Amino acid sequence: MSAVTDILNRIRLFVDGVTDAEEFSFDFPNDLADAYTDLERDNKPLAALLNDELPDICANYEADEVARLGEPDLLDEIQFRRKVKEVYEKANKLI
């Protein structure tokens, strides 16, 4: 499986609700970093898009409602999935 296919599949599983939000928010940035060299070789614009947007989106996910109070940049699960889906849709246009 190519790096592009693997990474996009991981995102799709999250967007489709198969992967847990907390798990994705912690694991995906590392998965992306591990695959980045191959991803960049296979599709440089896609690699740049994912690297520019998803690590920050993942970092802003906060499951705890109380922790999100007064923190407008923090995302609940619905907002998190929506933002990841937006990036996923952009990414699919690059393949």
Side-chain angles (χ1 to χ4, degrees), residues 1 6-7 15 17 22 32-33 49-50 52-54 68 70 72 91:
M1 181 181 301
D6 183 50
I7 286 293
V15 168
E22 194 160 348
L32 180 59
L49 169 73
L50 297 179
D52 288 347
E53 296 196 25
L54 284 179
R68 289 192 311 269

Side-chain angles (χ1 to χ4, degrees), residues 26-77:
F26 284 116
D27 293 345
F28 188 79
N30 292 328
D31 294 343
L32 180 59
D34 290 346
Y36 191 79
T37 301
D38 292 336
L39 191 60
E40 187 177 41
R41 181 192 65 234
D42 294 345
N43 189 324
K44 194 169 187 163
L46 177 64
L49 169 73
L50 297 179
N51 193 55
D52 288 347
E53 296 196 25
L54 284 179
D56 289 340
I57 292 170
C58 288
N60 287 333
Y61 171 65
E62 176 55 62
D64 185 357
E65 184 177 347
V66 174
R68 289 192 311 269
L69 291 176
E71 298 292 337
D73 292 336
L74 296 182
L75 307 169
D76 66 22
E77 185 170 342

